[in-house]
Amino acid sequence: MTAEKPDEDLSALAKGGRQNFFGFLLRLVARLPFLFIAGRLYGPDALGRFASALVVVELVALVCAMGEKRGLAQRLSEGEDSHPANLVYDGMLLALLFSGIAAAFFWLVPAPLFPSGEFTELDRFVVLAIPAYALTEIVLAAQAYKYDIATTVRARAVVEPWTISIMAGVFYFVPSVSDSGLSMAYLASIYAGLATGLWSFFRSYGPPRAWRPHPVYMGKMTARALPLATADAIEWGTRRVDIFILGLFAAPAAVGVYYIAQQVASLPQKLKTSFEPILGPVITKNLKTGNYDAIARQICQVGFWIVAMQAGIALALGVPGEAVMGLVGPEFVGGTGALAFLLVAEVVAATAVVSEAVLVYVARVRNLWISIGTIALQAVLTVVLIRVMVAGGYGEPFKAAAAAIALMLALGTASLVKAVLLSKILGQTINTFRWPLVWAVAPAVLVGWLATQLPEWAELIVGIPAILGVYGVIIWRRGFGPEDRVLFKRNLDKEEDAQS
């Protein structure tokens, strides 16, 4: 039985990876219309105000989820209750209480959401996204524990992005709502995603059974979740603190341009974050049996998958970066430099993400301190580099690039430190880098450079597929071994189902 387990785990990870890669493609197709609509119709100023509010809303919502995005898998795995549904409802109740208080506070004190002081009464309703966002994190984590990644794909890659894209376009043409169209579209997308998650959740877990929430247990649960919730918030915050700091030194329009660059760069980021739901259950089960060797292999395996896919997508979006940013609007082309560094940052961050997937269970407090150090380093570097640009007399695009460079350096440092710590704890080497990545990147860059000599429309239509094609062929032939190719073997799932 023990000999078969690694293969079963690998199959589960591969199945989740396939579903999430498909989800990434869906998210890419759905996100592009939103970026186009937001950039062309609403403009960089409105985007800057929207981004500032979003930073606070999503950060607070993530804290209110009390670390259940990853912590729920451990609680369910330990079997603290005879009815798994009750454990999930405990987390949902706690999240609802905290998020309700937070939403009420920001409704009464909206200044942190809108530091410029410019907002409408409808904009204030964006605080209602806090409880919905927190609950969505929990129900999707509960489904992931049952290896149901398809629900996450539907909610995050189909329903949410298409809803915000469609509603942003609709609200722009409604006079009474147009000034708050982005906020209202975002709110609609969050609740649509929650409804999608709840539909599958109720079918899987059903209603609570003899559920009696106890204040003492809820208090212990809160204390236990704080380090994980804080680490989640800090990890997320590293992708948003740059927007906050940039807003202190740059005009709202510059923040809007940077936000678009960040949204484009976040597309490959979803590849690694979407592996987290399936990593959690696999890791917690191996931790329970003390199978550290299997955990190390799984982390290195998934880490390489993520790096390989992200590197290809980063090349496809980064080399023709001017054309990509130009799709949103000519005033956004200045964010091309920031886009390039943000894409590199997502690649170097992959090792930190997969390492943290284990550290949150085996070294929760130490991981928290490393995360705090990471965001502090990023904040300091961001301020220093922006000041250097200001002192040198450089314009707004250089300030945005400085923020992106700071993020890249901070995440690279975090990857190194967390990989070393995890190696010591597991007694195994943690390394997600392989030399074939370099062999695949070099010709892909050459192909991309040739594509940039074409007209802009051909640069996108011809260049992006050519970059992905050259990179994909080389990484498949030189970088992927038999275990890596499990990621693309759909028939393996059918064989396992037949055996079971």
Side-chain angles (χ1 to χ4, degrees):
M1 294 293 292
T2 56
E4 295 178 359
K5 191 174 190 321
D7 293 334
E8 294 172 357
D9 290 341
L10 183 63
S11 176
L13 292 170
K15 183 178 180 181
R18 283 193 300 274
Q19 291 176 327
N20 282 301
F21 183 72
F22 178 63
F24 159 77
L25 296 177
L26 293 174
R27 187 188 294 266
L28 174 62
V29 172
R31 179 62 67 178
L32 289 178
F34 171 73
L35 297 180
F36 184 83
I37 291 169
R40 296 279 180 170
L41 298 184
Y42 290 90
D45 286 329
L47 269 170
R49 293 191 295 271
F50 171 67
S52 296
L54 219 58
V55 168
V56 179
V57 167
E58 294 190 353
L59 176 60
V60 172
L62 199 59
V63 173
C64 292
M66 300 308 295
E68 290 289 81
K69 182 177 180 179
R70 291 181 290 188
L72 182 61
Q74 186 176 31
R75 292 202 298 121
L76 290 171
S77 180
E78 291 173 352
E80 297 177 2
D81 193 287
S82 56
H83 299 299
N86 290 359
L87 290 175
V88 184
Y89 284 108
D90 283 338
M92 293 173 69
L93 176 60
L94 202 61
L96 198 56
L97 289 173
F98 281 111
S99 60
I101 293 171
F105 171 79
F106 286 111
W107 174 267
L108 297 173
V109 187
L113 295 173
F114 309 101
S116 66
E118 299 178 19
F119 63 93
T120 67
E121 283 301 310
L122 283 178
D123 284 332
R124 295 176 67 180
F125 281 96
V126 76
V127 301
L128 297 178
I130 296 175
Y133 191 105
L135 290 176
T136 303
E137 291 291 300
I138 295 175
V139 296
L140 294 181
Q143 289 303 107
Y145 183 76
K146 293 180 176 288
Y147 293 167
D148 174 17
I149 306 302
T151 297
T152 300
V153 172
R154 282 194 297 272
R156 296 295 197 202
V158 180
V159 175
E160 286 186 8
W162 274 113
T163 300
I164 194 173
S165 295
I166 293 170
M167 298 310 297
V170 170
F171 286 142
Y172 180 79
F173 295 101
V174 180
S176 60
V177 185
S178 59
D179 290 340
S180 307
L182 292 177
S183 296
M184 293 296 97
Y186 173 74
L187 189 60
S189 72
I190 293 299
Y191 274 90
L194 174 60
T196 303
L198 286 174
W199 175 264
S200 297
F201 171 75
F202 288 134
R203 294 177 64 185
S204 299
Y205 288 84
R209 299 174 180 84
W211 182 44
R212 298 290 185 274
H214 197 281
V216 175
Y217 172 74
M218 300 294 276
K220 291 180 179 178
M221 180 179 162
T222 302
R224 179 182 178 182
L226 281 176
L228 185 54
T230 307
D232 281 344
I234 290 173
E235 195 277 333
W236 182 92
T238 57
R239 305 304 199 283
R240 296 297 186 274
V241 71
D242 45 1
I243 289 182
F244 176 77
I245 295 175
L246 188 62
L248 300 177
F249 292 91
V255 178
V257 171
Y258 186 83
Y259 173 76
I260 288 295
Q262 194 179 67
Q263 289 298 298
V264 175
S266 71
L267 291 170
Q269 178 198 355
K270 305 305 179 185
L271 287 170
K272 65 174 177 287
T273 56
S274 57
F275 266 96
E276 289 174 359
I278 196 66
L279 267 175
V282 171
I283 288 171
T284 53
K285 289 174 183 177
N286 279 318
L287 283 174
K288 198 171 183 179
T289 60
N291 194 351
Y292 287 177
D293 180 64
I295 293 173
R297 289 199 308 272
Q298 291 155 7
I299 290 300
C300 292
Q301 188 82 65
V302 173
F304 174 69
W305 286 344
I306 294 172
V307 170
M309 289 189 288
Q310 280 190 320
I313 295 165
L315 288 170
L317 295 175
V319 177
E322 288 189 4
V324 171
M325 294 296 289
L327 278 176
V328 185
E331 62 269 43
F332 292 90
V333 175
T336 303
L339 173 64
F341 289 113
L342 287 171
L343 288 167
V344 175
E346 296 302 340
V347 176
V348 301
T351 302
V353 172
V354 293
S355 297
E356 189 174 75
V358 184
L359 291 175
V360 293
Y361 302 119
V362 299
R364 189 170 297 191
V365 176
R366 280 179 286 178
N367 176 71
L368 173 59
W369 281 112
I370 295 172
S371 298
I372 292 174
T374 300
I375 198 168
L377 175 63
Q378 181 194 358
V380 171
L381 287 174
T382 303
V383 173
V384 170
L385 292 177
I386 289 178
R387 285 190 176 277
V388 169
M389 296 301 173
V390 172
Y394 295 102
E396 302 293 304
F398 288 89
K399 295 178 186 178
I405 292 171
L407 175 64
M408 178 186 68
L409 295 175
L411 293 179
T413 302
S415 286
L416 179 62
V417 174
K418 291 190 177 186
V420 170
L421 175 60
L422 184 59
S423 295
K424 291 182 178 179
I425 293 174
L426 299 181
Q428 305 286 334
T429 301
I430 302 298
N431 181 22
T432 60
F433 175 79
R434 299 182 193 176
W435 281 107
L437 287 168
V438 177
W439 306 336
V441 166
V445 169
L446 177 59
V447 170
W449 177 81
L450 292 173
T452 60
Q453 311 306 306
L454 300 172
E456 188 172 284
W457 63 269
E459 184 179 348
L460 295 173
I461 296 175
V462 177
I464 290 178
I467 293 170
L468 289 174
V470 170
Y471 175 86
V473 168
I474 296 175
I475 201 69
W476 175 262
R477 292 185 176 179
R478 302 296 300 273
F480 273 57
E483 288 190 339
D484 299 307
R485 294 176 183 180
V486 171
L487 183 63
F488 300 94
K489 293 181 179 178
R490 294 180 59 85
N491 61 328
L492 185 62
D493 301 324
K494 297 178 182 178
E495 292 172 6
E496 288 181 348
D497 292 340
Q499 291 173 1
S500 61

